[in-house]
Amino acid sequence: MTEKSQNPSKRKPSYCELRAGQVVLWCACGQSTNGPFCDGKSHLGSGKVPVRYRAQADEEVLFCECKHTATPPFCDGTHSNLPGGYADAPETVDAEAMPLVPRDSRGISPLDDSCYVVSPGSVPPSWESETVRIRPLVTRELGASHQSQFHVALDKGRSPLLSAAGDTVVWIAGGKGRALVGDTAIEIPAMGGLHIGAGVPFAFEGDEIEAYVSVCPAVADLEVDDTAWSWRDAKPADDLRTIDEAARVAMGPRYFQVLMDDRDGLDNAAQFIGHIPLSRADMHRHLYEEALIIVSGEGMIHNPTCRAVVGAGDVIFFPRKVVHSLECTASEGMDVVGFIYPGTNPGINY
């Protein structure tokens, strides 16, 4: 077993690598001298006993250190809402000392370890017609291993039929009209999330529709059928996921709402919407890949050796385990939509 990030503050989780069949005892009392693991004595008399965990396969895990998790022995993000559990970047951090990475000819600011910012409007289309453009934003070519994302823009009318071999999740960023999915027609609001099964054909119909289409596992591109087609009499459906203030989950001064996850038919993936106030998060990382759409506001994405400006419409791609910090510089805050895979809880970081 390799312990990569033992946390002396006992707030953020500890990252560990386990071998298939390996058994560990997770400390439940919080007094162990052996990090997240029981030391065999500190819990005596506390009324708490360690939790036994056996790895079913070679795996990477985040063991809870705050001891308030609802999913022992694993972190569930609870530490962010404990006193001292969520931290902004220290005041001693000099962000201006890091080089500012400009956009290249593809509209991309390449940062550390395949982390990058991309502006959809600057990316050359992989497919286009007079009224429709499809642009690849997250691809294996750019460093993604698990997911893909494409920007679809429809000026007016109807798009061709689109499909993907992987599970497909759409964020409707703007426009007016319908999403045609399978044998259903879904009226789309200004913004919302939509789950489309693997291989299910879909299209957009309306005016000025802008959509971000995420696919997992990763695919090279969306499949496009631009032959003439007629839509069957479609029954209306209400499959969109929209903003629900009652479903918000606090994460320190920030909050997020999971729009869809495994409960909606996804397989170890999630789409969420979140809000970031005027602040800069402390440096952290995740075990999942993340494509983060900036819905509104502006700010800066920081890596250990460089940084880049971000604004509404941009997408930030975070590879697994890459250290980063997102700063909001807008007084009104920043709204974001994220797609994470493999993983279901955007509140977990280390």
PDB file of all heavy atoms in Angstrom, residues 12-42:
ATOM      1  N   LYS A  12      -8.919  17.004   5.092  1.00  0.00           N
ATOM      2  CA  LYS A  12      -8.968  16.395   3.768  1.00  0.00           C
ATOM      3  C   LYS A  12      -8.629  14.908   3.869  1.00  0.00           C
ATOM      4  O   LYS A  12      -7.902  14.478   4.763  1.00  0.00           O
ATOM      5  CB  LYS A  12      -7.987  17.089   2.825  1.00  0.00           C
ATOM      6  CG  LYS A  12      -8.455  18.452   2.342  1.00  0.00           C
ATOM      7  CD  LYS A  12      -7.523  18.979   1.281  1.00  0.00           C
ATOM      8  CE  LYS A  12      -8.009  20.315   0.728  1.00  0.00           C
ATOM      9  NZ  LYS A  12      -7.121  20.806  -0.354  1.00  0.00           N
ATOM     10  N   PRO A  13      -9.145  14.101   2.945  1.00  0.00           N
ATOM     11  CA  PRO A  13      -8.889  12.660   3.004  1.00  0.00           C
ATOM     12  C   PRO A  13      -7.455  12.306   2.631  1.00  0.00           C
ATOM     13  O   PRO A  13      -6.724  13.127   2.081  1.00  0.00           O
ATOM     14  CB  PRO A  13      -9.869  12.104   1.963  1.00  0.00           C
ATOM     15  CG  PRO A  13     -10.023  13.221   0.980  1.00  0.00           C
ATOM     16  CD  PRO A  13     -10.001  14.486   1.802  1.00  0.00           C
ATOM     17  N   SER A  14      -7.099  11.082   2.918  1.00  0.00           N
ATOM     18  CA  SER A  14      -5.784  10.552   2.557  1.00  0.00           C
ATOM     19  C   SER A  14      -5.922   9.647   1.346  1.00  0.00           C
ATOM     20  O   SER A  14      -6.766   8.742   1.313  1.00  0.00           O
ATOM     21  CB  SER A  14      -5.169   9.757   3.708  1.00  0.00           C
ATOM     22  OG  SER A  14      -4.745  10.619   4.743  1.00  0.00           O
ATOM     23  N   TYR A  15      -5.090   9.893   0.352  1.00  0.00           N
ATOM     24  CA  TYR A  15      -5.074   9.093  -0.877  1.00  0.00           C
ATOM     25  C   TYR A  15      -4.206   7.866  -0.643  1.00  0.00           C
ATOM     26  O   TYR A  15      -3.079   7.958  -0.161  1.00  0.00           O
ATOM     27  CB  TYR A  15      -4.507   9.938  -2.015  1.00  0.00           C
ATOM     28  CG  TYR A  15      -4.168   9.164  -3.266  1.00  0.00           C
ATOM     29  CD1 TYR A  15      -5.086   9.041  -4.299  1.00  0.00           C
ATOM     30  CD2 TYR A  15      -2.912   8.569  -3.428  1.00  0.00           C
ATOM     31  CE1 TYR A  15      -4.779   8.343  -5.450  1.00  0.00           C
ATOM     32  CE2 TYR A  15      -2.600   7.865  -4.576  1.00  0.00           C
ATOM     33  CZ  TYR A  15      -3.547   7.755  -5.584  1.00  0.00           C
ATOM     34  OH  TYR A  15      -3.231   7.064  -6.718  1.00  0.00           O
ATOM     35  N   CYS A  16      -4.751   6.691  -1.006  1.00  0.00           N
ATOM     36  CA  CYS A  16      -4.005   5.451  -0.854  1.00  0.00           C
ATOM     37  C   CYS A  16      -4.231   4.546  -2.062  1.00  0.00           C
ATOM     38  O   CYS A  16      -5.296   4.582  -2.687  1.00  0.00           O
ATOM     39  CB  CYS A  16      -4.434   4.698   0.407  1.00  0.00           C
ATOM     40  SG  CYS A  16      -4.104   5.584   1.944  1.00  0.00           S
ATOM     41  N   GLU A  17      -3.231   3.746  -2.366  1.00  0.00           N
ATOM     42  CA  GLU A  17      -3.326   2.744  -3.416  1.00  0.00           C
ATOM     43  C   GLU A  17      -3.333   1.377  -2.759  1.00  0.00           C
ATOM     44  O   GLU A  17      -2.443   1.061  -1.961  1.00  0.00           O
ATOM     45  CB  GLU A  17      -2.151   2.879  -4.384  1.00  0.00           C
ATOM     46  CG  GLU A  17      -2.122   4.219  -5.114  1.00  0.00           C
ATOM     47  CD  GLU A  17      -0.850   4.432  -5.907  1.00  0.00           C
ATOM     48  OE1 GLU A  17       0.015   3.524  -5.891  1.00  0.00           O
ATOM     49  OE2 GLU A  17      -0.716   5.502  -6.531  1.00  0.00           O
ATOM     50  N   LEU A  18      -4.340   0.565  -3.093  1.00  0.00           N
ATOM     51  CA  LEU A  18      -4.487  -0.755  -2.506  1.00  0.00           C
ATOM     52  C   LEU A  18      -4.376  -1.824  -3.579  1.00  0.00           C
ATOM     53  O   LEU A  18      -4.772  -1.613  -4.730  1.00  0.00           O
ATOM     54  CB  LEU A  18      -5.840  -0.884  -1.808  1.00  0.00           C
ATOM     55  CG  LEU A  18      -6.157   0.133  -0.703  1.00  0.00           C
ATOM     56  CD1 LEU A  18      -7.546  -0.128  -0.143  1.00  0.00           C
ATOM     57  CD2 LEU A  18      -5.111   0.091   0.400  1.00  0.00           C
ATOM     58  N   ARG A  19      -3.878  -2.977  -3.172  1.00  0.00           N
ATOM     59  CA  ARG A  19      -3.810  -4.130  -4.065  1.00  0.00           C
ATOM     60  C   ARG A  19      -5.057  -4.999  -3.873  1.00  0.00           C
ATOM     61  O   ARG A  19      -5.655  -5.011  -2.794  1.00  0.00           O
ATOM     62  CB  ARG A  19      -2.559  -4.965  -3.779  1.00  0.00           C
ATOM     63  CG  ARG A  19      -1.240  -4.200  -3.975  1.00  0.00           C
ATOM     64  CD  ARG A  19      -0.060  -5.129  -3.762  1.00  0.00           C
ATOM     65  NE  ARG A  19      -0.084  -5.757  -2.452  1.00  0.00           N
ATOM     66  CZ  ARG A  19       0.390  -5.200  -1.336  1.00  0.00           C
ATOM     67  NH1 ARG A  19       0.918  -3.981  -1.385  1.00  0.00           N
ATOM     68  NH2 ARG A  19       0.329  -5.851  -0.189  1.00  0.00           N
ATOM     69  N   ALA A  20      -5.443  -5.710  -4.903  1.00  0.00           N
ATOM     70  CA  ALA A  20      -6.612  -6.597  -4.820  1.00  0.00           C
ATOM     71  C   ALA A  20      -6.438  -7.576  -3.661  1.00  0.00           C
ATOM     72  O   ALA A  20      -5.384  -8.203  -3.514  1.00  0.00           O
ATOM     73  CB  ALA A  20      -6.795  -7.343  -6.130  1.00  0.00           C
ATOM     74  N   GLY A  21      -7.461  -7.675  -2.813  1.00  0.00           N
ATOM     75  CA  GLY A  21      -7.415  -8.580  -1.674  1.00  0.00           C
ATOM     76  C   GLY A  21      -6.812  -7.996  -0.423  1.00  0.00           C
ATOM     77  O   GLY A  21      -6.893  -8.608   0.654  1.00  0.00           O
ATOM     78  N   GLN A  22      -6.206  -6.815  -0.530  1.00  0.00           N
ATOM     79  CA  GLN A  22      -5.562  -6.218   0.641  1.00  0.00           C
ATOM     80  C   GLN A  22      -6.611  -5.776   1.659  1.00  0.00           C
ATOM     81  O   GLN A  22      -7.645  -5.211   1.300  1.00  0.00           O
ATOM     82  CB  GLN A  22      -4.716  -5.023   0.212  1.00  0.00           C
ATOM     83  CG  GLN A  22      -3.877  -4.429   1.333  1.00  0.00           C
ATOM     84  CD  GLN A  22      -2.897  -3.389   0.806  1.00  0.00           C
ATOM     85  OE1 GLN A  22      -2.820  -3.156  -0.396  1.00  0.00           O
ATOM     86  NE2 GLN A  22      -2.156  -2.781   1.701  1.00  0.00           N
ATOM     87  N   VAL A  23      -6.336  -6.049   2.933  1.00  0.00           N
ATOM     88  CA  VAL A  23      -7.251  -5.706   4.012  1.00  0.00           C
ATOM     89  C   VAL A  23      -6.618  -4.620   4.879  1.00  0.00           C
ATOM     90  O   VAL A  23      -5.441  -4.725   5.268  1.00  0.00           O
ATOM     91  CB  VAL A  23      -7.589  -6.938   4.874  1.00  0.00           C
ATOM     92  CG1 VAL A  23      -8.469  -6.549   6.053  1.00  0.00           C
ATOM     93  CG2 VAL A  23      -8.284  -7.998   4.024  1.00  0.00           C
ATOM     94  N   VAL A  24      -7.397  -3.581   5.189  1.00  0.00           N
ATOM     95  CA  VAL A  24      -6.922  -2.517   6.070  1.00  0.00           C
ATOM     96  C   VAL A  24      -7.984  -2.257   7.133  1.00  0.00           C
ATOM     97  O   VAL A  24      -9.158  -2.576   6.954  1.00  0.00           O
ATOM     98  CB  VAL A  24      -6.628  -1.214   5.300  1.00  0.00           C
ATOM     99  CG1 VAL A  24      -5.496  -1.409   4.303  1.00  0.00           C
ATOM    100  CG2 VAL A  24      -7.872  -0.697   4.592  1.00  0.00           C
ATOM    101  N   LEU A  25      -7.556  -1.681   8.236  1.00  0.00           N
ATOM    102  CA  LEU A  25      -8.460  -1.263   9.305  1.00  0.00           C
ATOM    103  C   LEU A  25      -8.435   0.256   9.377  1.00  0.00           C
ATOM    104  O   LEU A  25      -7.415   0.852   9.745  1.00  0.00           O
ATOM    105  CB  LEU A  25      -8.039  -1.879  10.639  1.00  0.00           C
ATOM    106  CG  LEU A  25      -8.204  -3.397  10.769  1.00  0.00           C
ATOM    107  CD1 LEU A  25      -7.663  -3.858  12.117  1.00  0.00           C
ATOM    108  CD2 LEU A  25      -9.673  -3.787  10.620  1.00  0.00           C
ATOM    109  N   TRP A  26      -9.551   0.879   9.029  1.00  0.00           N
ATOM    110  CA  TRP A  26      -9.663   2.344   9.026  1.00  0.00           C
ATOM    111  C   TRP A  26      -9.980   2.839  10.430  1.00  0.00           C
ATOM    112  O   TRP A  26     -10.878   2.322  11.114  1.00  0.00           O
ATOM    113  CB  TRP A  26     -10.761   2.763   8.062  1.00  0.00           C
ATOM    114  CG  TRP A  26     -11.122   4.223   8.091  1.00  0.00           C
ATOM    115  CD1 TRP A  26     -10.414   5.245   7.551  1.00  0.00           C
ATOM    116  CD2 TRP A  26     -12.290   4.801   8.667  1.00  0.00           C
ATOM    117  NE1 TRP A  26     -11.068   6.442   7.760  1.00  0.00           N
ATOM    118  CE2 TRP A  26     -12.229   6.191   8.436  1.00  0.00           C
ATOM    119  CE3 TRP A  26     -13.390   4.277   9.355  1.00  0.00           C
ATOM    120  CZ2 TRP A  26     -13.216   7.075   8.883  1.00  0.00           C
ATOM    121  CZ3 TRP A  26     -14.377   5.142   9.797  1.00  0.00           C
ATOM    122  CH2 TRP A  26     -14.285   6.531   9.561  1.00  0.00           C
ATOM    123  N   CYS A  27      -9.248   3.845  10.864  1.00  0.00           N
ATOM    124  CA  CYS A  27      -9.458   4.429  12.182  1.00  0.00           C
ATOM    125  C   CYS A  27     -10.778   5.199  12.221  1.00  0.00           C
ATOM    126  O   CYS A  27     -11.012   6.072  11.393  1.00  0.00           O
ATOM    127  CB  CYS A  27      -8.301   5.365  12.518  1.00  0.00           C
ATOM    128  SG  CYS A  27      -8.614   6.471  13.924  1.00  0.00           S
ATOM    129  N   ALA A  28     -11.648   4.860  13.167  1.00  0.00           N
ATOM    130  CA  ALA A  28     -12.922   5.555  13.341  1.00  0.00           C
ATOM    131  C   ALA A  28     -12.907   6.552  14.482  1.00  0.00           C
ATOM    132  O   ALA A  28     -13.752   7.448  14.544  1.00  0.00           O
ATOM    133  CB  ALA A  28     -14.041   4.543  13.578  1.00  0.00           C
ATOM    134  N   CYS A  29     -11.928   6.442  15.369  1.00  0.00           N
ATOM    135  CA  CYS A  29     -11.929   7.291  16.563  1.00  0.00           C
ATOM    136  C   CYS A  29     -11.230   8.631  16.340  1.00  0.00           C
ATOM    137  O   CYS A  29     -11.443   9.582  17.082  1.00  0.00           O
ATOM    138  CB  CYS A  29     -11.265   6.572  17.731  1.00  0.00           C
ATOM    139  SG  CYS A  29      -9.464   6.383  17.583  1.00  0.00           S
ATOM    140  N   GLY A  30     -10.372   8.702  15.336  1.00  0.00           N
ATOM    141  CA  GLY A  30      -9.667   9.948  15.058  1.00  0.00           C
ATOM    142  C   GLY A  30      -8.438  10.176  15.908  1.00  0.00           C
ATOM    143  O   GLY A  30      -7.823  11.242  15.834  1.00  0.00           O
ATOM    144  N   GLN A  31      -8.034   9.194  16.705  1.00  0.00           N
ATOM    145  CA  GLN A  31      -6.888   9.367  17.599  1.00  0.00           C
ATOM    146  C   GLN A  31      -5.678   8.544  17.184  1.00  0.00           C
ATOM    147  O   GLN A  31      -4.638   8.585  17.843  1.00  0.00           O
ATOM    148  CB  GLN A  31      -7.298   8.977  19.031  1.00  0.00           C
ATOM    149  CG  GLN A  31      -8.466   9.753  19.581  1.00  0.00           C
ATOM    150  CD  GLN A  31      -8.205  11.255  19.597  1.00  0.00           C
ATOM    151  OE1 GLN A  31      -7.121  11.692  20.002  1.00  0.00           O
ATOM    152  NE2 GLN A  31      -9.184  12.037  19.147  1.00  0.00           N
ATOM    153  N   SER A  32      -5.785   7.802  16.091  1.00  0.00           N
ATOM    154  CA  SER A  32      -4.700   6.918  15.687  1.00  0.00           C
ATOM    155  C   SER A  32      -3.436   7.703  15.352  1.00  0.00           C
ATOM    156  O   SER A  32      -3.480   8.808  14.814  1.00  0.00           O
ATOM    157  CB  SER A  32      -5.126   6.097  14.469  1.00  0.00           C
ATOM    158  OG  SER A  32      -4.036   5.342  13.977  1.00  0.00           O
ATOM    159  N   THR A  33      -2.303   7.092  15.672  1.00  0.00           N
ATOM    160  CA  THR A  33      -1.008   7.666  15.302  1.00  0.00           C
ATOM    161  C   THR A  33      -0.553   7.151  13.945  1.00  0.00           C
ATOM    162  O   THR A  33       0.558   7.450  13.515  1.00  0.00           O
ATOM    163  CB  THR A  33       0.052   7.304  16.356  1.00  0.00           C
ATOM    164  OG1 THR A  33       0.137   5.882  16.472  1.00  0.00           O
ATOM    165  CG2 THR A  33      -0.306   7.907  17.709  1.00  0.00           C
ATOM    166  N   ASN A  34      -1.425   6.393  13.294  1.00  0.00           N
ATOM    167  CA  ASN A  34      -1.076   5.761  12.021  1.00  0.00           C
ATOM    168  C   ASN A  34      -1.972   6.280  10.888  1.00  0.00           C
ATOM    169  O   ASN A  34      -2.452   5.517  10.057  1.00  0.00           O
ATOM    170  CB  ASN A  34      -1.203   4.241  12.145  1.00  0.00           C
ATOM    171  CG  ASN A  34      -0.611   3.516  10.955  1.00  0.00           C
ATOM    172  OD1 ASN A  34       0.327   4.008  10.314  1.00  0.00           O
ATOM    173  ND2 ASN A  34      -1.152   2.345  10.637  1.00  0.00           N
ATOM    174  N   GLY A  35      -2.243   7.582  10.892  1.00  0.00           N
ATOM    175  CA  GLY A  35      -2.982   8.209   9.808  1.00  0.00           C
ATOM    176  C   GLY A  35      -4.413   7.720   9.731  1.00  0.00           C
ATOM    177  O   GLY A  35      -5.097   7.619  10.751  1.00  0.00           O
ATOM    178  N   PRO A  36      -4.886   7.359   8.524  1.00  0.00           N
ATOM    179  CA  PRO A  36      -6.280   6.917   8.429  1.00  0.00           C
ATOM    180  C   PRO A  36      -6.497   5.511   8.955  1.00  0.00           C
ATOM    181  O   PRO A  36      -7.625   5.041   9.017  1.00  0.00           O
ATOM    182  CB  PRO A  36      -6.558   6.965   6.919  1.00  0.00           C
ATOM    183  CG  PRO A  36      -5.233   6.700   6.291  1.00  0.00           C
ATOM    184  CD  PRO A  36      -4.220   7.367   7.198  1.00  0.00           C
ATOM    185  N   PHE A  37      -5.403   4.824   9.367  1.00  0.00           N
ATOM    186  CA  PHE A  37      -5.508   3.432   9.774  1.00  0.00           C
ATOM    187  C   PHE A  37      -5.413   3.285  11.290  1.00  0.00           C
ATOM    188  O   PHE A  37      -4.765   4.080  11.982  1.00  0.00           O
ATOM    189  CB  PHE A  37      -4.416   2.605   9.100  1.00  0.00           C
ATOM    190  CG  PHE A  37      -4.398   2.777   7.607  1.00  0.00           C
ATOM    191  CD1 PHE A  37      -3.329   3.406   6.990  1.00  0.00           C
ATOM    192  CD2 PHE A  37      -5.464   2.343   6.833  1.00  0.00           C
ATOM    193  CE1 PHE A  37      -3.319   3.593   5.624  1.00  0.00           C
ATOM    194  CE2 PHE A  37      -5.456   2.524   5.458  1.00  0.00           C
ATOM    195  CZ  PHE A  37      -4.385   3.152   4.852  1.00  0.00           C
ATOM    196  N   CYS A  38      -6.063   2.259  11.784  1.00  0.00           N
ATOM    197  CA  CYS A  38      -6.036   1.970  13.218  1.00  0.00           C
ATOM    198  C   CYS A  38      -4.624   1.601  13.669  1.00  0.00           C
ATOM    199  O   CYS A  38      -3.911   0.876  12.957  1.00  0.00           O
ATOM    200  CB  CYS A  38      -7.003   0.816  13.497  1.00  0.00           C
ATOM    201  SG  CYS A  38      -7.005   0.277  15.223  1.00  0.00           S
ATOM    202  N   ASP A  39      -4.219   2.112  14.830  1.00  0.00           N
ATOM    203  CA  ASP A  39      -2.898   1.757  15.369  1.00  0.00           C
ATOM    204  C   ASP A  39      -3.001   0.669  16.430  1.00  0.00           C
ATOM    205  O   ASP A  39      -2.016   0.342  17.101  1.00  0.00           O
ATOM    206  CB  ASP A  39      -2.188   2.986  15.928  1.00  0.00           C
ATOM    207  CG  ASP A  39      -2.935   3.639  17.094  1.00  0.00           C
ATOM    208  OD1 ASP A  39      -3.927   3.044  17.579  1.00  0.00           O
ATOM    209  OD2 ASP A  39      -2.534   4.745  17.510  1.00  0.00           O
ATOM    210  N   GLY A  40      -4.222   0.124  16.589  1.00  0.00           N
ATOM    211  CA  GLY A  40      -4.411  -1.015  17.486  1.00  0.00           C
ATOM    212  C   GLY A  40      -4.652  -0.673  18.934  1.00  0.00           C
ATOM    213  O   GLY A  40      -4.923  -1.581  19.734  1.00  0.00           O
ATOM    214  N   LYS A  41      -4.595   0.613  19.309  1.00  0.00           N
ATOM    215  CA  LYS A  41      -4.729   0.919  20.736  1.00  0.00           C
ATOM    216  C   LYS A  41      -5.475   2.209  21.038  1.00  0.00           C
ATOM    217  O   LYS A  41      -6.139   2.324  22.060  1.00  0.00           O
ATOM    218  CB  LYS A  41      -3.346   0.994  21.378  1.00  0.00           C
ATOM    219  CG  LYS A  41      -2.416   2.022  20.738  1.00  0.00           C
ATOM    220  CD  LYS A  41      -1.032   2.016  21.373  1.00  0.00           C
ATOM    221  CE  LYS A  41      -0.124   3.070  20.691  1.00  0.00           C
ATOM    222  NZ  LYS A  41       1.228   3.086  21.286  1.00  0.00           N
ATOM    223  N   SER A  42      -5.374   3.206  20.146  1.00  0.00           N
ATOM    224  CA  SER A  42      -5.900   4.530  20.493  1.00  0.00           C
ATOM    225  C   SER A  42      -7.413   4.549  20.672  1.00  0.00           C
ATOM    226  O   SER A  42      -7.949   5.406  21.378  1.00  0.00           O
ATOM    227  CB  SER A  42      -5.502   5.551  19.419  1.00  0.00           C
ATOM    228  OG  SER A  42      -4.099   5.725  19.395  1.00  0.00           O
TER     229      SER A  42
END
